[in-house]
């Protein structure tokens, strides 16, 4: 009974996820985009891959970048098969008593060798194709669209140019840390993180240097971010990032903690599922020049759905935070309209 109530409360909480909940009342594509993509993911989990691919196609019709999550559905099928074969591989190694030293380098090399061997097997490929061909069909159709359209963008292409905006991943991890704070952050988490830093100090030092370099060389500021004062991102950028040139570098430790918390919350998933998810997360966020919280809706919800079921207390805290953020946003939207210079239309604050 408790687990059933937890599922109901978890569903209710996700239904009030602020960035998505707000736009259910406006004429935006986010609701339809999210509905069809999550429905496709559900059908994928049930093994109805043709239906999943069709629903994924509907999601792509709402927003072109949803092709990433159609690929994710197909990739999750492949990840499941890889996990099954990997378990067999582990068992064989245990029987032969030939397990390599457990460190990240040797384990990564072992996984890469396993992947190369798996995908070079005609038998494995012939077993996968009947499962994922519906998703491949959608990808082929989408690739045809890109060729005919001359790119992925419909409309104003000058405002939606793709670039390698690596800090988008940092923003997404911070966004996820904020909204899942009651679920994944505890005093024990901070201690575990500090313990991890102490043990793998060299690894975190390299990660910090790389992150600082990416922030330095790959931070892009879209003209909409600086000009459109109707959105949270405008104020986040002005009140935080524009305080001082060094702020974006000072925040790197926060990004690292947020990324660590994010990946730690998904440790119950297989390494192959995580590989597929993070590749799709990269593809969905990094090419975007504009910092826009609406772009984080789908990757966040898919992440949230795959986090182990939290306790009732944590779910209630999450619901309270979501409700509070929603109340504040709606208050400003309804009660604090304003005008732009040389424009008679009423402007309203929104996500």
């Amino acid at each position: 009974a408790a687990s059933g109530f937890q599922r109901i409360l978890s569903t209710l909480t996700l239904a009030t996820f602020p960035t998505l909940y707000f736009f259910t009342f406006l004429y935006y594509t986010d609701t339809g985009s999210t509905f069809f993509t999550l429905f496709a993911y559900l059908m994928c989990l049930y093994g109805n891959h043709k239906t999943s691919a069709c629903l994924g196609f509907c999601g792509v019709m709402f927003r072109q970048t949803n092709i990433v999550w159609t690929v994710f559905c197909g990739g999750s099928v492949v990840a499941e098969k890889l996990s099954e074969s990997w378990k067999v591989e582990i068992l064989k190694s245990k029987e032969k008593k030939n397990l390599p030293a457990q460190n990240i380098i040797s384990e990564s090399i072992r996984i890469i060798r396993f992947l190369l061997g798996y995908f070079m097997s005609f038998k494995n490929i012939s077993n996968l194709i009947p499962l994922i061909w519906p998703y491949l069909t959608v990808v082929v159709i989408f690739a045809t669209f890109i060729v005919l359209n001359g790119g992925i963008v419909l409309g104003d292409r000058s405002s939606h140019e793709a670039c390698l905006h690596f800090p988008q991943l940092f923003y997404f991890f911070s966004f996820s840390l904020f909204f899942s704070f009651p679920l994944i952050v505890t005093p024990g988490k901070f201690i575990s993180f500090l313990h991890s830093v102490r043990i793998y100090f060299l690894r975190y030092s390299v990660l910090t240097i790389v992150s600082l370099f990416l922030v330095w060389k790959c931070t892009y500021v879209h003209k909409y971010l600086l000009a459109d004062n109707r959105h949270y991102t405008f104020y986040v950028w002005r009140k935080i990032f524009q305080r001082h040139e060094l702020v974006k570098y000072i925040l790197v430790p926060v990004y690292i903690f947020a990324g660590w918390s994010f990946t730690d919350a998904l440790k119950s998933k297989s390494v192959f599922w995580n590989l597929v998810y993070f590749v799709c997360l990269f593809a969905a966020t990094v090419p975007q020049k504009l910092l826009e919280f609406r772009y984080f809706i789908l990757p966040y919800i898919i992440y949230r759905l795959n986090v182990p079921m939290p306790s009732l207390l944590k779910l209630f805290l999450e619901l309270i935070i979501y409700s509070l953020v929603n109340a504040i946003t709606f208050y400003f939207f309804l009660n604090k309209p304003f005008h732009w210079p040389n424009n008679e239309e009423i402007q309203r604050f929104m996500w």
Side-chain angles (χ1 to χ4, degrees):
S3 61
F5 184 69
Q6 283 176 290
R7 285 194 292 269
I8 293 171
L9 185 58
S10 182
T11 303
L12 176 63
T13 304
L14 276 178
T16 60
F17 176 56
T19 315
L20 176 62
Y21 183 74
F22 179 84
F23 287 105
T24 59
F25 299 94
L26 301 180
Y27 188 70
Y28 268 71
T29 59
D30 297 277
T31 305
S33 165
T34 305
F35 170 78
F36 281 107
T37 303
L38 292 181
F39 198 177
Y41 184 39
L42 177 64
M43 291 297 100
C44 174
L45 294 176
Y46 277 111
N48 299 327
H49 301 302
K50 293 178 184 178
T51 305
S52 176
C54 289
L55 291 167
F57 179 78
C58 292
V60 172
M61 295 297 286
F62 274 86
R63 183 164 293 161
Q64 302 94 291
T65 52
N66 283 345
I67 189 64
V68 170
W69 303 111
T70 299
V71 172
F72 169 75
C73 288
S76 64
V77 176
V78 176
E80 184 178 359
K81 296 300 179 183
L82 287 169
S83 296
E84 293 172 359
S85 297
W86 180 247
K87 288 177 182 177
V88 174
E89 183 77 12
I90 294 294
L91 287 174
K92 288 180 179 179
S93 297
K94 286 183 178 179
E95 289 174 0
K96 294 178 180 179
K97 297 182 180 180
N98 191 31
L99 286 171
Q102 294 297 314
N103 62 69
I104 190 170
I105 297 176
S106 62
E107 190 68 10
S108 298
I109 292 173
R110 189 180 180 199
I111 290 173
I112 291 171
R113 286 176 177 172
F114 167 76
L115 289 173
L116 290 173
Y118 186 92
F119 288 113
M120 289 180 67
S121 168
F122 177 78
K123 180 182 177 181
N124 292 333
I125 298 299
S126 62
N127 288 334
L128 285 176
I129 295 299
L131 293 174
I132 65 172
W133 72 261
Y135 305 108
L136 293 175
T137 302
V138 176
V139 171
V140 170
I141 293 172
F142 186 76
T144 304
F145 156 75
I146 290 178
V147 172
L148 295 177
N149 186 55
I152 191 174
V153 178
L154 293 171
D156 184 6
R157 299 188 181 188
S158 63
S159 298
H160 296 87
E161 296 176 347
C163 61
L164 287 177
H165 193 178
F166 289 100
Q168 284 279 27
L169 275 178
F170 304 151
Y171 307 148
F172 173 74
F173 289 145
S174 303
F175 173 90
S176 300
L177 181 68
F178 176 82
F179 281 110
S180 61
F181 193 86
L183 308 183
I184 65 174
V185 179
T186 62
K189 283 283 186 179
F190 284 111
I191 294 172
S192 296
F193 174 69
L194 293 175
H195 183 66
S196 177
V197 171
R198 185 176 63 83
I199 295 176
Y200 304 109
F201 182 77
L202 179 59
R203 190 182 304 173
Y204 280 96
S205 298
V206 172
L207 178 61
T208 301
I209 293 170
V210 171
S211 299
L212 288 169
F213 177 80
L214 292 176
V215 168
W216 174 41
K217 286 295 186 180
C218 300
T219 296
Y220 297 94
V221 184
H222 198 284
K223 59 183 179 181
Y224 289 173
L225 180 62
L226 299 176
D228 196 339
N229 64 343
R230 295 173 299 173
H231 305 287
Y232 273 114
T233 48
F234 173 88
Y235 299 96
V236 168
W237 198 263
R238 192 180 72 173
K239 298 292 186 181
I240 299 176
F241 289 90
Q242 289 188 321
R243 285 282 184 180
H244 194 278
E245 180 65 23
L246 293 177
V247 168
K248 61 183 180 181
Y249 302 107
I250 294 172
L251 288 173
V252 164
V254 177
Y255 298 152
I256 292 174
F257 173 71
W260 177 86
S261 300
F262 188 89
T263 54
D264 185 68
L266 293 173
K267 64 184 179 183
S268 61
K269 307 299 291 185
S270 75
V271 63
F272 304 107
W273 187 94
N274 274 282
L275 179 61
V276 170
Y277 174 76
F278 279 99
V279 167
C280 290
L281 173 62
F282 183 95
T285 57
V286 170
Q288 305 278 3
K289 186 175 183 179
L290 176 62
L291 172 58
E292 170 62 80
F293 289 149
R294 290 186 301 119
Y295 299 160
F296 297 161
I297 291 174
L298 274 169
Y300 178 82
I301 291 181
I302 291 175
Y303 151 77
R304 176 62 182 79
L305 287 170
N306 286 280
V307 171
M309 182 64 72
S311 66
L312 282 173
L313 176 60
K314 290 183 177 181
L315 286 171
F316 274 119
L317 287 174
E318 183 184 38
L319 181 59
I320 289 169
I321 291 174
Y322 285 8
S323 300
L324 182 61
V325 173
N326 283 331
I328 292 171
T329 306
F330 276 104
Y331 172 78
F332 280 105
F333 178 81
L334 295 172
N335 299 306
K336 298 293 182 180
F338 56 93
H339 288 87
W340 284 342
N342 304 319
N343 191 321
E344 296 181 356
E345 294 183 0
I346 294 177
Q347 307 300 325
R348 294 185 182 274
F349 179 81
M350 64 179 71
W351 273 100

